[in-house]
Amino acid sequence: MPFLHNYTDLTAVAAPIFNRQGKVAAALSVSGPSNRLTPEVMKQIAAPIMEAATRMGKMIK
């Protein structure tokens, strides 16, 4: 999962949500101030975010 910083003091983590055809249909993201969403925190939440995105993708018809 890429870690990108585009705005000063704002950080986000995102995961794609794939439909049943394997195409990206949406994205799930979490953002917050960089002093709270540190690289260590991002590593901790990356897997749960990807798991949630996978579950959401299975709900798309």
Side-chain angles (χ1 to χ4, degrees), residues 19-35:
N19 64 20
R20 293 184 183 185
Q21 290 75 38
K23 296 184 179 184
V24 176
L28 174 63
S29 67
V30 174
S31 62
S34 297
N35 65 333

Side-chain angles (χ1 to χ4, degrees), residues 3 9 18 20 29 32 37 52:
F3 299 112
D9 299 325
F18 296 98
R20 293 184 183 185
S29 67
L37 196 54

Side-chain angles (χ1 to χ4, degrees), residues 5 11-13 30-42 45:
H5 295 266
T11 302
V13 178
V30 174
S31 62
S34 297
N35 65 333
R36 294 183 64 199
L37 196 54
T38 63
E40 294 79 22
V41 172
M42 292 169 62
I45 66 173

